[in-house]
């Protein structure tokens, strides 16, 4: 099996992380892969905010947990890096474009020995004044919607095995 197929078939979500920060060059390579995701008409409209600042990471965690209705948990599972993917709503394919960027981030991380997981509620976070303020502080203008958080770090538990694949998920028209 070639390396790309192996990565596609073996990547799993991680829900327990070591506190060790990723080297900048590894994070940069993962983010670069996100910029190469397919997008409708080649618009390249998704943007990524890489959060490595612990104070901001913890602030986002608390906000996300509050939206989730479980204010006493860390929805980022201790991961030291949170990459927020947002996409410009003026493009009709923005949700799909941002989703493809999330997929690229997770696959690139796996290829580099970094664990990842897609965490939801970015949409709700960036509809709140606190989220809009973060975008404003970064000079991000436009009508961006949060697509997801890609949490990154080194796994603090063994990688789970894939669940058996469900039947009747592939059909052919010949």
């Amino acid at each position: 099996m070639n390396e790309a197929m192996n990565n596609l078939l073996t990547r799993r979500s991680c829900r327990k992380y070591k506190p060790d920060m990723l080297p900048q060059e590894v994070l940069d390579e993962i983010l670069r892969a996100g910029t190469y995701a397919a997008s409708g008409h080649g618009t390249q409209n998704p943007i990524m905010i890489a959060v490595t600042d612990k104070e901001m990471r913890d602030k986002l965690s608390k906000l996300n947990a509050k939206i989730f209705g479980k204010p006493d948990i860390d929805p980022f599972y201790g991961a030291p890096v949170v990459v927020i993917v947002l996409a410009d709503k003026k493009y009709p394919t923005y949700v799909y474009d941002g989703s493809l960027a999330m997929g690229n981030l997770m696959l690139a991380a796996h290829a580099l020995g970094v664990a990842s997981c897609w965490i939801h509620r970015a949409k709700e976070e960036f509809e709140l004044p606190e989220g809009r303020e973060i975008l404003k502080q970064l000079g991000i203008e436009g009508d961006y919607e949060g697509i997801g958080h890609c949490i990154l770090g080194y796994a603090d538990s063994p990688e789970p095995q894939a669940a058996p694949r469900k039947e009747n998920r592939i059909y052919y028209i010949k």
Side-chain angles (χ1 to χ4, degrees):
M1 181 180 333
N2 77 34
E3 190 175 343
M5 283 302 294
N6 186 55
N7 283 328
L8 287 166
L9 299 179
T10 60
R11 194 212 74 79
R12 298 287 168 269
S13 293
C14 176
R15 291 179 178 85
K16 188 175 181 188
Y17 292 83
K18 296 177 182 176
D20 308 350
M21 184 55 68
L22 300 180
Q24 186 65 46
E25 58 274 8
V26 172
L27 178 56
D28 289 344
E29 196 165 349
I30 293 167
L31 293 167
R32 184 170 176 252
T35 69
Y36 277 84
S39 60
H41 298 280
T43 58
Q44 300 182 39
N45 82 83
I47 61 171
M48 296 167 285
I49 302 171
V51 180
T52 57
D53 176 78
K54 182 162 177 27
E55 185 177 329
M56 177 58 78
R57 178 248 182 254
D58 291 348
K59 178 181 174 180
L60 289 169
S61 174
K62 287 185 189 323
L63 186 58
N64 192 289
K66 182 179 174 186
I67 293 165
F68 190 35
K70 297 182 179 184
D72 297 326
I73 68 161
D74 174 13
F76 300 149
Y77 302 104
V81 179
V82 178
V83 178
I84 307 151
V85 174
L86 302 105
D88 193 332
K89 290 168 44 175
K90 75 180 177 187
Y91 296 99
T93 57
Y94 76 96
V95 172
Y96 313 112
D97 299 341
S99 297
L100 287 166
M102 286 287 295
N104 271 28
L105 292 171
M106 292 184 293
L107 287 168
H110 181 63
L112 295 170
V114 174
S116 68
C117 189
W118 182 326
I119 306 298
H120 291 283
R121 296 170 294 281
K123 177 183 187 302
E124 295 83 354
E125 277 178 32
F126 286 88
E127 289 173 343
L128 293 174
E130 297 94 327
R132 290 286 171 209
E133 182 59 29
I134 292 168
L135 298 180
K136 183 179 176 184
Q137 289 173 357
L138 291 170
I140 298 170
E141 297 177 1
D143 193 13
Y144 282 92
E145 182 173 297
I147 304 302
H149 307 84
C150 181
I151 58 172
L152 300 169
Y154 296 108
D156 196 14
S157 60
E159 192 171 76
Q161 292 296 312
R165 300 294 93 181
K166 293 180 180 178
E167 304 255 342
N168 301 317
R169 291 184 55 212
I170 299 171
Y171 297 86
Y172 292 94
I173 299 176
K174 294 184 178 188

